Amino acid sequence: MASEQRRKTRAADHAGTTPDDEAPWADLEMAVPTERDHASVVALVECALVELTHEAVGAVFISRQVGRSTRTQYVAADDVGEQFQKRHFDDRLGWHETTVPRRTVRDELITQLTQLPSTSAERLGEGATSEPDTFVVKPVRELRTP
């Protein structure tokens, strides 16, 4: 009950600081590679984790290589933001879901957002794709699920 009240209070605080037509997490989007420095990427990830804990949103990282794409979604699994549901989709292998701690999500997102997009493609002996990898926070109802 107390956590629900804190969530409502934070939502009201966010509502007071953002325009009516824009959610507080609406600008949490990025293409990879990015020109952001490491500290900026860490701040973006921390911001996303807070929003995942307090709003009905999920973080999505989409990686594209020639002939293949993967999608990793993170959604809070508890009210305190210590456990997250990780849904990973590979168009060749399908969906895999697991529960992971906050620290793992934080580390994975920082790694994904600071990597070079062509690294995986080069490892496979392929060229980079024309579309960049992307990271976005969006409402849970808009996430693709199995």
mmCIF file of all heavy atoms in Angstrom, residues 83-132:
data_model
loop_
_atom_site.group_PDB
_atom_site.id
_atom_site.type_symbol
_atom_site.label_atom_id
_atom_site.label_comp_id
_atom_site.label_asym_id
_atom_site.label_seq_id
_atom_site.Cartn_x
_atom_site.Cartn_y
_atom_site.Cartn_z
ATOM 1 N N GLN A 83 13.689 -6.235 -9.272
ATOM 2 C CA GLN A 83 13.583 -7.367 -10.181
ATOM 3 C C GLN A 83 12.885 -6.919 -11.459
ATOM 4 O O GLN A 83 11.897 -6.182 -11.402
ATOM 5 C CB GLN A 83 12.789 -8.513 -9.542
ATOM 6 C CG GLN A 83 13.462 -9.127 -8.331
ATOM 7 C CD GLN A 83 14.735 -9.875 -8.703
ATOM 8 O OE1 GLN A 83 14.748 -10.666 -9.637
ATOM 9 N NE2 GLN A 83 15.814 -9.616 -7.971
ATOM 10 N N PHE A 84 13.397 -7.393 -12.592
ATOM 11 C CA PHE A 84 12.832 -7.033 -13.884
ATOM 12 C C PHE A 84 12.595 -8.290 -14.712
ATOM 13 O O PHE A 84 13.364 -9.252 -14.628
ATOM 14 C CB PHE A 84 13.777 -6.101 -14.643
ATOM 15 C CG PHE A 84 13.847 -4.740 -14.045
ATOM 16 C CD1 PHE A 84 14.654 -4.488 -12.950
ATOM 17 C CD2 PHE A 84 13.090 -3.697 -14.559
ATOM 18 C CE1 PHE A 84 14.708 -3.229 -12.380
ATOM 19 C CE2 PHE A 84 13.139 -2.436 -14.001
ATOM 20 C CZ PHE A 84 13.940 -2.200 -12.904
ATOM 21 N N GLN A 85 11.535 -8.262 -15.489
ATOM 22 C CA GLN A 85 11.290 -9.327 -16.448
ATOM 23 C C GLN A 85 12.067 -8.957 -17.704
ATOM 24 O O GLN A 85 11.926 -7.849 -18.224
ATOM 25 C CB GLN A 85 9.805 -9.449 -16.751
ATOM 26 C CG GLN A 85 9.497 -10.560 -17.706
ATOM 27 C CD GLN A 85 8.022 -10.645 -18.046
ATOM 28 O OE1 GLN A 85 7.317 -9.644 -18.053
ATOM 29 N NE2 GLN A 85 7.565 -11.841 -18.349
ATOM 30 N N LYS A 86 12.892 -9.881 -18.157
ATOM 31 C CA LYS A 86 13.662 -9.677 -19.386
ATOM 32 C C LYS A 86 13.074 -10.603 -20.442
ATOM 33 O O LYS A 86 13.028 -11.817 -20.258
ATOM 34 C CB LYS A 86 15.136 -10.010 -19.164
ATOM 35 C CG LYS A 86 15.980 -9.898 -20.419
ATOM 36 C CD LYS A 86 17.411 -10.308 -20.136
ATOM 37 C CE LYS A 86 18.245 -10.323 -21.396
ATOM 38 N NZ LYS A 86 19.625 -10.752 -21.120
ATOM 39 N N ARG A 87 12.601 -9.998 -21.526
ATOM 40 C CA ARG A 87 12.048 -10.759 -22.643
ATOM 41 C C ARG A 87 12.969 -10.543 -23.831
ATOM 42 O O ARG A 87 13.146 -9.425 -24.283
ATOM 43 C CB ARG A 87 10.661 -10.251 -23.010
ATOM 44 C CG ARG A 87 9.672 -10.246 -21.890
ATOM 45 C CD ARG A 87 8.416 -9.537 -22.345
ATOM 46 N NE ARG A 87 7.485 -9.346 -21.261
ATOM 47 C CZ ARG A 87 6.538 -8.421 -21.270
ATOM 48 N NH1 ARG A 87 6.397 -7.612 -22.318
ATOM 49 N NH2 ARG A 87 5.726 -8.303 -20.255
ATOM 50 N N HIS A 88 13.535 -11.626 -24.323
ATOM 51 C CA HIS A 88 14.464 -11.514 -25.443
ATOM 52 C C HIS A 88 13.879 -12.242 -26.644
ATOM 53 O O HIS A 88 13.465 -13.395 -26.533
ATOM 54 C CB HIS A 88 15.826 -12.108 -25.078
ATOM 55 C CG HIS A 88 16.834 -11.977 -26.161
ATOM 56 N ND1 HIS A 88 17.460 -10.786 -26.458
ATOM 57 C CD2 HIS A 88 17.311 -12.874 -27.049
ATOM 58 C CE1 HIS A 88 18.287 -10.973 -27.468
ATOM 59 N NE2 HIS A 88 18.200 -12.237 -27.851
ATOM 60 N N PHE A 89 13.846 -11.561 -27.779
ATOM 61 C CA PHE A 89 13.333 -12.162 -29.005
ATOM 62 C C PHE A 89 14.413 -12.124 -30.063
ATOM 63 O O PHE A 89 15.005 -11.086 -30.341
ATOM 64 C CB PHE A 89 12.104 -11.403 -29.518
ATOM 65 C CG PHE A 89 11.606 -11.932 -30.839
ATOM 66 C CD1 PHE A 89 10.868 -13.095 -30.902
ATOM 67 C CD2 PHE A 89 11.904 -11.269 -32.020
ATOM 68 C CE1 PHE A 89 10.422 -13.599 -32.119
ATOM 69 C CE2 PHE A 89 11.454 -11.753 -33.240
ATOM 70 C CZ PHE A 89 10.720 -12.923 -33.291
ATOM 71 N N ASP A 90 14.665 -13.280 -30.637
ATOM 72 C CA ASP A 90 15.578 -13.413 -31.765
ATOM 73 C C ASP A 90 14.738 -13.974 -32.897
ATOM 74 O O ASP A 90 14.083 -15.008 -32.722
ATOM 75 C CB ASP A 90 16.713 -14.375 -31.393
ATOM 76 C CG ASP A 90 17.744 -14.527 -32.498
ATOM 77 O OD1 ASP A 90 17.353 -14.788 -33.647
ATOM 78 O OD2 ASP A 90 18.938 -14.400 -32.189
ATOM 79 N N ASP A 91 14.736 -13.328 -34.058
ATOM 80 C CA ASP A 91 13.839 -13.780 -35.130
ATOM 81 C C ASP A 91 14.187 -15.177 -35.639
ATOM 82 O O ASP A 91 13.399 -15.794 -36.340
ATOM 83 C CB ASP A 91 13.731 -12.767 -36.264
ATOM 84 C CG ASP A 91 15.043 -12.380 -36.898
ATOM 85 O OD1 ASP A 91 16.098 -12.895 -36.481
ATOM 86 O OD2 ASP A 91 15.010 -11.546 -37.816
ATOM 87 N N ARG A 92 15.330 -15.703 -35.270
ATOM 88 C CA ARG A 92 15.681 -17.083 -35.635
ATOM 89 C C ARG A 92 15.322 -18.072 -34.526
ATOM 90 O O ARG A 92 15.019 -19.226 -34.797
ATOM 91 C CB ARG A 92 17.168 -17.200 -35.924
ATOM 92 C CG ARG A 92 17.597 -16.435 -37.151
ATOM 93 C CD ARG A 92 19.079 -16.609 -37.386
ATOM 94 N NE ARG A 92 19.514 -15.819 -38.519
ATOM 95 C CZ ARG A 92 20.771 -15.661 -38.858
ATOM 96 N NH1 ARG A 92 21.724 -16.228 -38.166
ATOM 97 N NH2 ARG A 92 21.088 -14.916 -39.909
ATOM 98 N N LEU A 93 15.375 -17.617 -33.267
ATOM 99 C CA LEU A 93 15.203 -18.528 -32.129
ATOM 100 C C LEU A 93 13.898 -18.325 -31.359
ATOM 101 O O LEU A 93 13.554 -19.139 -30.510
ATOM 102 C CB LEU A 93 16.386 -18.380 -31.163
ATOM 103 C CG LEU A 93 17.770 -18.623 -31.769
ATOM 104 C CD1 LEU A 93 18.858 -18.282 -30.772
ATOM 105 C CD2 LEU A 93 17.886 -20.053 -32.248
ATOM 106 N N GLY A 94 13.212 -17.210 -31.588
ATOM 107 C CA GLY A 94 11.965 -16.943 -30.879
ATOM 108 C C GLY A 94 12.184 -16.232 -29.551
ATOM 109 O O GLY A 94 13.205 -15.590 -29.336
ATOM 110 N N TRP A 95 11.216 -16.362 -28.640
ATOM 111 C CA TRP A 95 11.195 -15.645 -27.360
ATOM 112 C C TRP A 95 11.816 -16.457 -26.234
ATOM 113 O O TRP A 95 11.664 -17.671 -26.174
ATOM 114 C CB TRP A 95 9.758 -15.326 -26.969
ATOM 115 C CG TRP A 95 9.148 -14.230 -27.770
ATOM 116 C CD1 TRP A 95 8.371 -14.380 -28.882
ATOM 117 C CD2 TRP A 95 9.247 -12.828 -27.530
ATOM 118 N NE1 TRP A 95 7.986 -13.149 -29.349
ATOM 119 C CE2 TRP A 95 8.498 -12.179 -28.538
ATOM 120 C CE3 TRP A 95 9.878 -12.056 -26.576
ATOM 121 C CZ2 TRP A 95 8.381 -10.802 -28.608
ATOM 122 C CZ3 TRP A 95 9.760 -10.682 -26.641
ATOM 123 C CH2 TRP A 95 9.022 -10.062 -27.651
ATOM 124 N N HIS A 96 12.476 -15.752 -25.330
ATOM 125 C CA HIS A 96 12.984 -16.330 -24.088
ATOM 126 C C HIS A 96 12.737 -15.294 -22.996
ATOM 127 O O HIS A 96 13.068 -14.123 -23.164
ATOM 128 C CB HIS A 96 14.476 -16.642 -24.198
ATOM 129 C CG HIS A 96 15.076 -17.094 -22.909
ATOM 130 N ND1 HIS A 96 14.821 -18.342 -22.373
ATOM 131 C CD2 HIS A 96 15.879 -16.464 -22.027
ATOM 132 C CE1 HIS A 96 15.455 -18.443 -21.224
ATOM 133 N NE2 HIS A 96 16.106 -17.326 -21.000
ATOM 134 N N GLU A 97 12.136 -15.726 -21.889
ATOM 135 C CA GLU A 97 11.856 -14.808 -20.788
ATOM 136 C C GLU A 97 12.544 -15.287 -19.518
ATOM 137 O O GLU A 97 12.639 -16.483 -19.266
ATOM 138 C CB GLU A 97 10.347 -14.717 -20.543
ATOM 139 C CG GLU A 97 9.589 -14.099 -21.689
ATOM 140 C CD GLU A 97 8.119 -13.886 -21.366
ATOM 141 O OE1 GLU A 97 7.774 -13.674 -20.198
ATOM 142 O OE2 GLU A 97 7.314 -13.943 -22.308
ATOM 143 N N THR A 98 13.003 -14.327 -18.730
ATOM 144 C CA THR A 98 13.638 -14.627 -17.455
ATOM 145 C C THR A 98 13.481 -13.427 -16.530
ATOM 146 O O THR A 98 13.158 -12.324 -16.978
ATOM 147 C CB THR A 98 15.129 -14.990 -17.655
ATOM 148 O OG1 THR A 98 15.662 -15.456 -16.428
ATOM 149 C CG2 THR A 98 15.930 -13.809 -18.150
ATOM 150 N N THR A 99 13.721 -13.623 -15.252
ATOM 151 C CA THR A 99 13.706 -12.529 -14.286
ATOM 152 C C THR A 99 15.146 -12.237 -13.891
ATOM 153 O O THR A 99 15.912 -13.159 -13.594
ATOM 154 C CB THR A 99 12.867 -12.905 -13.045
ATOM 155 O OG1 THR A 99 11.540 -13.209 -13.469
ATOM 156 C CG2 THR A 99 12.822 -11.755 -12.050
ATOM 157 N N VAL A 100 15.508 -10.958 -13.928
ATOM 158 C CA VAL A 100 16.883 -10.553 -13.630
ATOM 159 C C VAL A 100 16.870 -9.394 -12.634
ATOM 160 O O VAL A 100 15.922 -8.620 -12.579
ATOM 161 C CB VAL A 100 17.649 -10.145 -14.915
ATOM 162 C CG1 VAL A 100 17.835 -11.337 -15.831
ATOM 163 C CG2 VAL A 100 16.946 -9.032 -15.644
ATOM 164 N N PRO A 101 17.951 -9.262 -11.854
ATOM 165 C CA PRO A 101 18.030 -8.146 -10.905
ATOM 166 C C PRO A 101 18.326 -6.814 -11.601
ATOM 167 O O PRO A 101 18.844 -6.783 -12.724
ATOM 168 C CB PRO A 101 19.171 -8.548 -9.973
ATOM 169 C CG PRO A 101 20.003 -9.495 -10.756
ATOM 170 C CD PRO A 101 19.072 -10.180 -11.721
ATOM 171 N N ARG A 102 18.028 -5.735 -10.914
ATOM 172 C CA ARG A 102 18.231 -4.380 -11.434
ATOM 173 C C ARG A 102 19.661 -4.177 -11.935
ATOM 174 O O ARG A 102 19.874 -3.601 -12.994
ATOM 175 C CB ARG A 102 17.899 -3.361 -10.342
ATOM 176 C CG ARG A 102 18.125 -1.929 -10.743
ATOM 177 C CD ARG A 102 17.942 -0.993 -9.541
ATOM 178 N NE ARG A 102 17.982 0.378 -9.955
ATOM 179 C CZ ARG A 102 16.923 1.111 -10.273
ATOM 180 N NH1 ARG A 102 15.727 0.589 -10.224
ATOM 181 N NH2 ARG A 102 17.057 2.353 -10.651
ATOM 182 N N ARG A 103 20.629 -4.635 -11.181
ATOM 183 C CA ARG A 103 22.046 -4.441 -11.535
ATOM 184 C C ARG A 103 22.357 -5.045 -12.910
ATOM 185 O O ARG A 103 23.077 -4.454 -13.713
ATOM 186 C CB ARG A 103 22.928 -5.084 -10.452
ATOM 187 C CG ARG A 103 24.391 -4.987 -10.722
ATOM 188 C CD ARG A 103 24.860 -3.619 -10.444
ATOM 189 N NE ARG A 103 26.312 -3.581 -10.542
ATOM 190 C CZ ARG A 103 26.983 -2.478 -10.485
ATOM 191 N NH1 ARG A 103 26.365 -1.346 -10.315
ATOM 192 N NH2 ARG A 103 28.276 -2.487 -10.585
ATOM 193 N N THR A 104 21.785 -6.229 -13.183
ATOM 194 C CA THR A 104 21.999 -6.882 -14.475
ATOM 195 C C THR A 104 21.399 -6.051 -15.604
ATOM 196 O O THR A 104 22.031 -5.864 -16.648
ATOM 197 C CB THR A 104 21.393 -8.304 -14.467
ATOM 198 O OG1 THR A 104 22.038 -9.066 -13.436
ATOM 199 C CG2 THR A 104 21.567 -8.988 -15.814
ATOM 200 N N VAL A 105 20.174 -5.551 -15.394
ATOM 201 C CA VAL A 105 19.522 -4.718 -16.413
ATOM 202 C C VAL A 105 20.358 -3.474 -16.673
ATOM 203 O O VAL A 105 20.623 -3.116 -17.818
ATOM 204 C CB VAL A 105 18.093 -4.327 -15.981
ATOM 205 C CG1 VAL A 105 17.475 -3.359 -16.980
ATOM 206 C CG2 VAL A 105 17.228 -5.560 -15.823
ATOM 207 N N ARG A 106 20.786 -2.829 -15.599
ATOM 208 C CA ARG A 106 21.605 -1.613 -15.717
ATOM 209 C C ARG A 106 22.872 -1.897 -16.531
ATOM 210 O O ARG A 106 23.192 -1.180 -17.479
ATOM 211 C CB ARG A 106 21.963 -1.100 -14.319
ATOM 212 C CG ARG A 106 22.792 0.161 -14.306
ATOM 213 C CD ARG A 106 23.182 0.509 -12.860
ATOM 214 N NE ARG A 106 23.847 1.781 -12.791
ATOM 215 C CZ ARG A 106 25.150 1.955 -13.051
ATOM 216 N NH1 ARG A 106 25.904 0.943 -13.430
ATOM 217 N NH2 ARG A 106 25.688 3.160 -12.963
ATOM 218 N N ASP A 107 23.591 -2.955 -16.149
ATOM 219 C CA ASP A 107 24.841 -3.292 -16.836
ATOM 220 C C ASP A 107 24.602 -3.651 -18.301
ATOM 221 O O ASP A 107 25.355 -3.220 -19.180
ATOM 222 C CB ASP A 107 25.552 -4.443 -16.123
ATOM 223 C CG ASP A 107 26.078 -4.049 -14.746
ATOM 224 O OD1 ASP A 107 26.122 -2.837 -14.431
ATOM 225 O OD2 ASP A 107 26.429 -4.964 -13.970
ATOM 226 N N GLU A 108 23.558 -4.449 -18.575
ATOM 227 C CA GLU A 108 23.270 -4.839 -19.956
ATOM 228 C C GLU A 108 22.927 -3.627 -20.818
ATOM 229 O O GLU A 108 23.412 -3.510 -21.951
ATOM 230 C CB GLU A 108 22.117 -5.845 -20.001
ATOM 231 C CG GLU A 108 22.510 -7.230 -19.560
ATOM 232 C CD GLU A 108 21.373 -8.233 -19.642
ATOM 233 O OE1 GLU A 108 20.291 -7.915 -20.194
ATOM 234 O OE2 GLU A 108 21.563 -9.362 -19.155
ATOM 235 N N LEU A 109 22.087 -2.738 -20.283
ATOM 236 C CA LEU A 109 21.706 -1.557 -21.072
ATOM 237 C C LEU A 109 22.902 -0.647 -21.334
ATOM 238 O O LEU A 109 23.084 -0.166 -22.458
ATOM 239 C CB LEU A 109 20.585 -0.783 -20.385
ATOM 240 C CG LEU A 109 19.198 -1.417 -20.484
ATOM 241 C CD1 LEU A 109 18.194 -0.647 -19.631
ATOM 242 C CD2 LEU A 109 18.740 -1.475 -21.931
ATOM 243 N N ILE A 110 23.731 -0.435 -20.337
ATOM 244 C CA ILE A 110 24.915 0.408 -20.540
ATOM 245 C C ILE A 110 25.817 -0.211 -21.605
ATOM 246 O O ILE A 110 26.294 0.480 -22.507
ATOM 247 C CB ILE A 110 25.672 0.642 -19.217
ATOM 248 C CG1 ILE A 110 24.832 1.536 -18.300
ATOM 249 C CG2 ILE A 110 27.056 1.249 -19.473
ATOM 250 C CD1 ILE A 110 25.352 1.633 -16.880
ATOM 251 N N THR A 111 26.018 -1.512 -21.533
ATOM 252 C CA THR A 111 26.853 -2.203 -22.531
ATOM 253 C C THR A 111 26.246 -2.077 -23.919
ATOM 254 O O THR A 111 26.941 -1.753 -24.889
ATOM 255 C CB THR A 111 27.018 -3.690 -22.151
ATOM 256 O OG1 THR A 111 27.673 -3.758 -20.875
ATOM 257 C CG2 THR A 111 27.835 -4.433 -23.198
ATOM 258 N N GLN A 112 24.931 -2.325 -24.029
ATOM 259 C CA GLN A 112 24.271 -2.254 -25.338
ATOM 260 C C GLN A 112 24.331 -0.847 -25.921
ATOM 261 O O GLN A 112 24.530 -0.684 -27.126
ATOM 262 C CB GLN A 112 22.808 -2.695 -25.208
ATOM 263 C CG GLN A 112 22.662 -4.164 -24.921
ATOM 264 C CD GLN A 112 21.264 -4.540 -24.473
ATOM 265 O OE1 GLN A 112 20.506 -3.712 -23.962
ATOM 266 N NE2 GLN A 112 20.917 -5.803 -24.642
ATOM 267 N N LEU A 113 24.161 0.163 -25.087
ATOM 268 C CA LEU A 113 24.099 1.536 -25.583
ATOM 269 C C LEU A 113 25.459 2.152 -25.859
ATOM 270 O O LEU A 113 25.545 3.190 -26.507
ATOM 271 C CB LEU A 113 23.310 2.410 -24.610
ATOM 272 C CG LEU A 113 21.857 1.980 -24.393
ATOM 273 C CD1 LEU A 113 21.164 2.905 -23.401
ATOM 274 C CD2 LEU A 113 21.093 1.922 -25.695
ATOM 275 N N THR A 114 26.521 1.512 -25.406
ATOM 276 C CA THR A 114 27.861 2.048 -25.655
ATOM 277 C C THR A 114 28.637 1.218 -26.667
ATOM 278 O O THR A 114 29.768 1.571 -27.006
ATOM 279 C CB THR A 114 28.674 2.148 -24.342
ATOM 280 O OG1 THR A 114 28.716 0.866 -23.717
ATOM 281 C CG2 THR A 114 28.078 3.179 -23.399
ATOM 282 N N GLN A 115 28.025 0.148 -27.179
ATOM 283 C CA GLN A 115 28.717 -0.687 -28.159
ATOM 284 C C GLN A 115 28.639 -0.094 -29.556
ATOM 285 O O GLN A 115 27.781 0.727 -29.848
ATOM 286 C CB GLN A 115 28.138 -2.096 -28.173
ATOM 287 C CG GLN A 115 26.752 -2.175 -28.787
ATOM 288 C CD GLN A 115 26.157 -3.570 -28.691
ATOM 289 O OE1 GLN A 115 26.787 -4.483 -28.185
ATOM 290 N NE2 GLN A 115 24.957 -3.728 -29.182
ATOM 291 N N LEU A 116 29.526 -0.554 -30.392
ATOM 292 C CA LEU A 116 29.466 -0.196 -31.799
ATOM 293 C C LEU A 116 28.468 -1.136 -32.463
ATOM 294 O O LEU A 116 28.524 -2.346 -32.243
ATOM 295 C CB LEU A 116 30.844 -0.321 -32.450
ATOM 296 C CG LEU A 116 31.913 0.614 -31.884
ATOM 297 C CD1 LEU A 116 33.258 0.310 -32.517
ATOM 298 C CD2 LEU A 116 31.513 2.052 -32.104
ATOM 299 N N PRO A 117 27.556 -0.639 -33.275
ATOM 300 C CA PRO A 117 26.511 -1.495 -33.839
ATOM 301 C C PRO A 117 27.021 -2.563 -34.788
ATOM 302 O O PRO A 117 26.411 -3.589 -34.956
ATOM 303 C CB PRO A 117 25.598 -0.516 -34.569
ATOM 304 C CG PRO A 117 26.488 0.617 -34.915
ATOM 305 C CD PRO A 117 27.480 0.712 -33.774
ATOM 306 N N SER A 118 28.149 -2.319 -35.427
ATOM 307 C CA SER A 118 28.630 -3.277 -36.414
ATOM 308 C C SER A 118 29.459 -4.397 -35.797
ATOM 309 O O SER A 118 29.853 -5.318 -36.492
ATOM 310 C CB SER A 118 29.462 -2.558 -37.475
ATOM 311 O OG SER A 118 30.564 -1.931 -36.866
ATOM 312 N N THR A 119 29.730 -4.355 -34.506
ATOM 313 C CA THR A 119 30.589 -5.353 -33.875
ATOM 314 C C THR A 119 30.086 -6.768 -34.122
ATOM 315 O O THR A 119 30.832 -7.637 -34.544
ATOM 316 C CB THR A 119 30.697 -5.092 -32.362
ATOM 317 O OG1 THR A 119 31.189 -3.776 -32.172
ATOM 318 C CG2 THR A 119 31.633 -6.083 -31.693
ATOM 319 N N SER A 120 28.807 -7.023 -33.876
ATOM 320 C CA SER A 120 28.262 -8.368 -34.074
ATOM 321 C C SER A 120 28.309 -8.756 -35.539
ATOM 322 O O SER A 120 28.636 -9.893 -35.882
ATOM 323 C CB SER A 120 26.818 -8.433 -33.585
ATOM 324 O OG SER A 120 26.772 -8.190 -32.214
ATOM 325 N N ALA A 121 27.971 -7.835 -36.417
ATOM 326 C CA ALA A 121 27.968 -8.125 -37.849
ATOM 327 C C ALA A 121 29.382 -8.444 -38.331
ATOM 328 O O ALA A 121 29.585 -9.359 -39.120
ATOM 329 C CB ALA A 121 27.388 -6.947 -38.625
ATOM 330 N N GLU A 122 30.376 -7.692 -37.844
ATOM 331 C CA GLU A 122 31.756 -7.948 -38.257
ATOM 332 C C GLU A 122 32.212 -9.316 -37.775
ATOM 333 O O GLU A 122 32.924 -10.026 -38.483
ATOM 334 C CB GLU A 122 32.679 -6.867 -37.704
ATOM 335 C CG GLU A 122 32.506 -5.541 -38.400
ATOM 336 C CD GLU A 122 33.277 -4.432 -37.727
ATOM 337 O OE1 GLU A 122 33.918 -4.658 -36.688
ATOM 338 O OE2 GLU A 122 33.230 -3.316 -38.247
ATOM 339 N N ARG A 123 31.791 -9.689 -36.568
ATOM 340 C CA ARG A 123 32.159 -10.982 -36.023
ATOM 341 C C ARG A 123 31.624 -12.108 -36.909
ATOM 342 O O ARG A 123 32.218 -13.152 -37.035
ATOM 343 C CB ARG A 123 31.594 -11.119 -34.605
ATOM 344 C CG ARG A 123 32.362 -12.061 -33.756
ATOM 345 C CD ARG A 123 31.875 -12.082 -32.319
ATOM 346 N NE ARG A 123 31.553 -10.782 -31.816
ATOM 347 C CZ ARG A 123 30.440 -10.486 -31.138
ATOM 348 N NH1 ARG A 123 29.552 -11.405 -30.890
ATOM 349 N NH2 ARG A 123 30.217 -9.276 -30.702
ATOM 350 N N LEU A 124 30.466 -11.887 -37.495
ATOM 351 C CA LEU A 124 29.852 -12.890 -38.359
ATOM 352 C C LEU A 124 30.337 -12.781 -39.806
ATOM 353 O O LEU A 124 29.874 -13.494 -40.675
ATOM 354 C CB LEU A 124 28.325 -12.744 -38.324
ATOM 355 C CG LEU A 124 27.687 -12.980 -36.956
ATOM 356 C CD1 LEU A 124 26.212 -12.612 -36.996
ATOM 357 C CD2 LEU A 124 27.870 -14.426 -36.532
ATOM 358 N N GLY A 125 31.242 -11.843 -40.067
ATOM 359 C CA GLY A 125 31.764 -11.674 -41.413
ATOM 360 C C GLY A 125 30.779 -10.987 -42.339
ATOM 361 O O GLY A 125 30.837 -11.147 -43.543
ATOM 362 N N GLU A 126 29.865 -10.228 -41.786
ATOM 363 C CA GLU A 126 28.854 -9.531 -42.575
ATOM 364 C C GLU A 126 29.079 -8.027 -42.486
ATOM 365 O O GLU A 126 29.751 -7.544 -41.585
ATOM 366 C CB GLU A 126 27.457 -9.854 -42.034
ATOM 367 C CG GLU A 126 27.139 -11.335 -42.040
ATOM 368 C CD GLU A 126 25.861 -11.656 -41.273
ATOM 369 O OE1 GLU A 126 25.348 -10.767 -40.583
ATOM 370 O OE2 GLU A 126 25.398 -12.784 -41.369
ATOM 371 N N GLY A 127 28.473 -7.289 -43.371
ATOM 372 C CA GLY A 127 28.532 -5.837 -43.308
ATOM 373 C C GLY A 127 27.507 -5.311 -42.314
ATOM 374 O O GLY A 127 26.597 -6.017 -41.912
ATOM 375 N N ALA A 128 27.666 -4.098 -41.921
ATOM 376 C CA ALA A 128 26.710 -3.479 -41.013
ATOM 377 C C ALA A 128 25.404 -3.200 -41.751
ATOM 378 O O ALA A 128 25.375 -3.037 -42.955
ATOM 379 C CB ALA A 128 27.288 -2.181 -40.459
ATOM 380 N N THR A 129 24.316 -3.143 -41.006
ATOM 381 C CA THR A 129 23.020 -2.859 -41.612
ATOM 382 C C THR A 129 22.877 -1.361 -41.806
ATOM 383 O O THR A 129 23.618 -0.563 -41.254
ATOM 384 C CB THR A 129 21.864 -3.351 -40.725
ATOM 385 O OG1 THR A 129 21.859 -2.580 -39.526
ATOM 386 C CG2 THR A 129 21.993 -4.814 -40.407
ATOM 387 N N SER A 130 21.871 -0.973 -42.586
ATOM 388 C CA SER A 130 21.645 0.444 -42.816
ATOM 389 C C SER A 130 20.846 1.070 -41.680
ATOM 390 O O SER A 130 20.863 2.273 -41.512
ATOM 391 C CB SER A 130 20.908 0.647 -44.144
ATOM 392 O OG SER A 130 19.663 -0.027 -44.103
ATOM 393 N N GLU A 131 20.144 0.267 -40.897
ATOM 394 C CA GLU A 131 19.361 0.796 -39.781
ATOM 395 C C GLU A 131 20.180 0.719 -38.499
ATOM 396 O O GLU A 131 20.802 -0.304 -38.216
ATOM 397 C CB GLU A 131 18.074 -0.012 -39.592
ATOM 398 C CG GLU A 131 17.064 0.168 -40.694
ATOM 399 C CD GLU A 131 15.775 -0.560 -40.344
ATOM 400 O OE1 GLU A 131 15.078 -0.128 -39.415
ATOM 401 O OE2 GLU A 131 15.508 -1.570 -41.003
ATOM 402 N N PRO A 132 20.154 1.772 -37.691
ATOM 403 C CA PRO A 132 20.905 1.736 -36.433
ATOM 404 C C PRO A 132 20.173 0.900 -35.387
ATOM 405 O O PRO A 132 18.963 0.690 -35.470
ATOM 406 C CB PRO A 132 20.940 3.209 -36.004
ATOM 407 C CG PRO A 132 19.695 3.786 -36.592
ATOM 408 C CD PRO A 132 19.497 3.061 -37.896
#
